[in-house]
């Protein structure tokens, strides 16, 4: 244990202080009237300024963030979030807004909503967006409610089933279930794409629509989207686009042109708001012209979503501009393919075709099992843990569920070639370690403040404060 691993309460020393208040204009200290003071002083730690500075600085370094290192977490688009976004979100006229302010006092905010609506419509090919949803999953639910209302308004309430590919993000079937719709799974083919032949027999008068993300969660572009759209529309259904994977398509392809009717975007992923740990997020939902009347609320209502994230997204889009935003997706795609090709002699690559912004390995080619006394080699979890020792965040592991040892890597466009090369060489080194002696990986991480928590217990019964035990 390092001395600074102590809690701030354990550092407390009677009488030590880190502040001094100035005298007031009467020359006396700022003592409060005794009637306003508590009988007993609060049990706050008594520490010097440097103790406080070290305590919080060290705490902050026990965590991992995009600002501390490369974060190739597949499906999460952990791109760098330019600091100018933060400056703009902190402008007092914006961050002091109150949701109940009269509309004529929030003209600037209204202009931000309108400007972003226009920009997102241009990027996606949708007609308009609602900014109420505060996460991707929240957007999915909103979008499915719009889909349901569209059918009900046409007197076609029997459409209660939604088709979801087996490669889908877990939130897709979950949102459909929350919306009261029945989920019908469509299988992927050997190339990792939706199997169009398997889709055909599922279509009928009970289908409300299909939910898809393109590129899908394997990072592969669904090339047959045109035919899929024609088939689903042909049976009377709508197409929902999970836009959390929009990053590689920016300025290249538009969901509206692919035939999608409804979609959400994850502003916190594609449009650069720091995210993770459950927030903050924004999942605006866009619809094609024929569904605009089903969007919730007006363009500016009292409580219009997560304004700080919306503001950051607008700043980010304006800063990149029409020309440069087209580069983001292409560079993200290039980086992913570069890593994919550079490591495929060390990690199993189940689907080798050109990917978009991310791709999936299926564990190590040589996991070292033959070298281990107990015959167990190093797993994907072990690779992920070992990466932490080298200062890299782990990729997404064991998702998507199509492979047993899935290791899903998404580098994003914001990393330099030098950083990506470093990552590649560390991934190669780890593979060699595994092949030589898998115990090096199985006992990793060796250099992090916390090593291998029991993941289920850590999630379900977290120890959050001093003195708590299981
Ligand atoms: C992240 C993600 C979601 C869910 O978004 P949240 O903001 O976490 O609710 C949905 N679909 C895909 C493909 C994603 O990557």
């Amino acid at each position: 244990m390092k001395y600074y691993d102590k809690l701030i309460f354990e550092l407390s020393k009677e009488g030590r202080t880190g502040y001094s208040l100035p005298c007031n204009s009467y020359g006396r200290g700022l003592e409060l009237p005794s009637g306003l003071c508590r009988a007993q002083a609060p049990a706050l730690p008594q520490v010097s300024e440097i103790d406080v500075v070290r305590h919080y600085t060290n705490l902050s370094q026990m965590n991992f963030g995009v600002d501390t290192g490369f974060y190739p977490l597949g499906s999460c688009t952990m791109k760098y979030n330019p600091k100018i976004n933060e400056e703009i979100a902190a402008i007092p006229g914006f961050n002091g807004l109150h949701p109940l302010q009269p509309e004529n006092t929030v003209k600037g905010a209204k202009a931000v909503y309108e400007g972003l609506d226009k920009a997102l419509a241009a990027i996606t090919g949708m007609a308009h967006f609602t900014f109420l949803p505060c996460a991707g999953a929240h957007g999915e639910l909103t979008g499915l409610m719009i889909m349901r209302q569209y059918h009900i308004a046409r007197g076609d309430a029997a459409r209660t089933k939604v088709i979801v590919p087996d490669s889908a993000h877990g939130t897709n079937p979950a949102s459909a279930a929350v919306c009261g719709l029945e989920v019908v799974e469509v299988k992927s083919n050997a190339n990792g794409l939706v199997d169009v032949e398997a889709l055909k027999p599922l279509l009928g008068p009970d289908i409300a629509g299909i939910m898809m993300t393109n590129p899908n969660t394997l990072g592969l572009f669904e090339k047959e989207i045109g035919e899929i759209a024609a088939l689903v529309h042909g049976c009377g259904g709508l197409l929902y686009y999970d836009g959390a994977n929009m990053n590689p398509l920016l300025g290249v392809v538009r969901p509206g042109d692919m035939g999608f009717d409804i979609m959400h975007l994850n502003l916190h992923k594609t449009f650069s708001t720091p995210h993770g740990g459950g927030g903050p997020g924004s999942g605006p939902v866009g619809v094609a012209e024929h569904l605009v009347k089903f969007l919730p609320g007006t363009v500016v209502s009292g409580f219009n979503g997560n304004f700080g994230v919306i503001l950051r997204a607008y700043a980010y889009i304006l800063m990149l501009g029409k020309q440069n935003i087209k580069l983001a997706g292409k560079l993200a795609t290039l980086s992913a393919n570069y890593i994919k090709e550079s490591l495929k002699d060390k990690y199993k690559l189940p689907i080798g075709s050109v990917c978009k912004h991310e791709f999936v390995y299926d564990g190590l080619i040589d996991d070292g099992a033959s070298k281990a006394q107990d015959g167990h080699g190093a797993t994907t979890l072990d690779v992920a843990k070992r990466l932490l020792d080298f200062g890299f965040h782990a990729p997404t592991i064991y998702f998507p569920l199509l492979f047993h040892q899935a290791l899903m890597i998404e580098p994003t466009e914001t990393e330099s070639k030098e950083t990506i090369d470093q990552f590649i060489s560390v991934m190669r080194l780890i593979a060699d370690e595994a092949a030589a002696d898998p115990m090096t990986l199985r006992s990793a991480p060796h250099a992090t403040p916390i090593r291998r928590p029991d993941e289920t217990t850590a999630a379900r019964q977290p120890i959050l404060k001093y003195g708590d035990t299981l």
Side-chain angles (χ1 to χ4, degrees):
M1 180 160 151
K2 299 183 190 112
Y3 77 95
Y4 56 73
D5 284 344
K6 286 194 173 158
L7 295 174
I8 190 109
F9 287 93
E10 295 168 323
L11 296 176
S12 183
K13 194 98 191 161
E14 183 70 35
R16 191 164 287 168
T17 172
Y19 69 92
S20 55
L21 293 178
C23 287
N24 63 18
S25 51
Y26 305 104
R28 293 172 48 224
L30 294 172
E31 293 121 27
L32 292 170
S34 59
L36 293 179
C37 293
R38 34 172 122 201
Q40 251 183 344
L44 294 174
Q46 302 185 45
V47 283
S48 66
E49 180 171 321
I50 194 166
D51 285 338
V52 175
V53 168
R54 284 188 185 146
H55 175 72
Y56 286 106
T57 306
N58 285 312
L59 264 187
S60 77
Q61 292 183 353
M62 287 172 76
N63 209 341
F64 196 100
V66 182
D67 286 359
T68 54
F70 183 43
Y71 207 134
L73 192 67
S75 198
C76 294
T77 312
M78 304 301 282
K79 62 170 74 175
Y80 174 68
N81 310 292
K83 294 295 166 258
I84 188 157
N85 295 357
E86 299 306 314
E87 281 173 39
I88 287 171
I91 292 173
F94 285 133
N95 79 2
L97 288 176
H98 191 279
L100 291 177
Q101 255 174 267
E103 201 169 315
N104 66 357
T105 67
V106 294
K107 286 184 180 153
K110 199 172 167 187
V112 169
Y113 280 110
E114 286 167 358
L116 187 59
D117 184 35
K118 225 169 147 183
L120 296 182
I123 289 169
T124 61
M126 293 289 136
H128 280 295
F129 279 80
T130 169
F131 292 94
L132 292 175
C134 289
H138 195 185
E140 292 168 21
L141 177 63
T142 308
L144 289 169
M145 289 166 86
I146 291 171
M147 185 186 280
R148 180 83 184 125
Q149 277 312 307
Y150 161 78
H151 291 305
I152 290 173
R154 291 184 310 117
D156 196 359
R159 294 183 183 270
T160 53
K161 292 184 179 170
V162 174
I163 300 172
V164 179
D166 58 2
S167 63
H169 195 270
T171 50
N172 290 191
S175 300
V178 172
C179 193
L181 298 164
E182 193 184 324
V183 176
V184 184
E185 190 178 270
V186 58
K187 295 256 169 283
S188 302
N189 62 25
N191 298 323
L193 303 176
V194 167
D195 186 337
V196 178
E197 289 313 311
L199 173 66
K200 286 178 184 168
L202 304 178
L203 300 170
D206 54 350
I207 295 298
I210 189 170
M211 294 181 89
M212 282 179 73
T213 181
N214 196 14
N216 63 25
T217 61
L218 293 170
L220 303 171
F221 190 79
E222 299 278 358
K223 295 190 195 95
E224 290 171 292
I225 186 61
E227 188 184 353
I228 292 171
L231 285 167
V232 174
H233 284 148
C235 94
L238 295 179
L239 278 87
Y240 183 88
Y241 181 78
D242 174 345
N245 286 345
M246 189 67 203
N247 205 44
L249 302 192
L250 289 176
V252 182
V253 187
R254 308 191 310 167
D257 299 336
M258 290 187 238
F260 287 95
D261 305 284
I262 312 170
M263 68 173 291
H264 79 265
L265 285 164
N266 277 26
L267 295 189
H268 44 295
K269 291 180 181 169
T270 312
F271 298 103
S272 84
T273 278
H275 60 286
S282 174
V285 169
V287 295
E289 198 64 54
H290 66 116
L291 297 173
V292 170
K293 59 176 178 285
F294 298 107
L295 283 175
T298 55
V299 174
V300 171
S301 65
F303 298 82
N304 212 339
N306 206 339
F307 186 59
V309 181
I310 287 156
L311 206 45
R312 287 175 178 87
Y314 194 42
Y316 176 75
I317 290 172
L318 291 183
M319 186 183 62
L320 280 182
K322 210 171 181 171
Q323 287 310 313
N324 292 325
I325 209 160
K326 289 183 183 171
L327 275 177
K330 289 180 180 170
L331 286 173
T333 299
L334 181 62
S335 301
N337 280 284
Y338 177 54
I339 298 176
K340 171 170 72 71
E341 293 302 312
S342 302
L343 292 170
K344 68 180 183 184
D345 59 326
K346 300 281 180 190
Y347 295 84
K348 289 182 205 155
L349 182 62
I351 297 176
S353 46
V354 173
C355 65
K356 289 288 172 280
H357 61 313
E358 63 194 0
F359 65 94
V360 181
Y361 288 128
D362 189 14
L364 287 152
I365 288 178
D366 182 354
D367 65 2
S370 61
K371 303 270 172 50
Q373 286 190 339
D374 59 4
H376 289 300
T379 62
T380 277
L381 174 69
D382 303 326
V383 173
K385 294 288 185 192
R386 185 70 176 130
L387 265 173
L388 303 176
D389 283 336
F390 293 95
F392 291 111
H393 195 278
T396 294
I397 56 173
Y398 302 109
F399 175 82
L401 306 176
L402 298 174
F403 309 111
H404 291 304
Q405 291 293 327
L407 193 70
M408 184 188 201
I409 298 175
E410 179 181 7
T412 85
E413 71 279 12
T414 56
E415 299 300 330
S416 67
K417 178 163 182 297
E418 289 73 23
T419 301
I420 290 178
D421 280 336
Q422 254 181 324
F423 175 72
I424 289 170
S425 62
V426 165
M427 284 289 281
R428 298 189 71 81
L429 187 141
I430 290 174
D432 293 342
E433 281 181 345
D437 175 14
M439 281 318 291
T440 315
L441 272 66
R442 285 169 59 190
S443 55
H446 305 277
T448 54
I450 291 175
R451 296 184 58 192
R452 287 211 183 200
D454 173 330
E455 290 175 4
T456 310
T457 313
R460 304 237 182 268
Q461 291 166 263
I463 300 173
L464 296 176
K465 63 181 203 299
Y466 186 50
D468 272 3
T469 48
L470 275 183

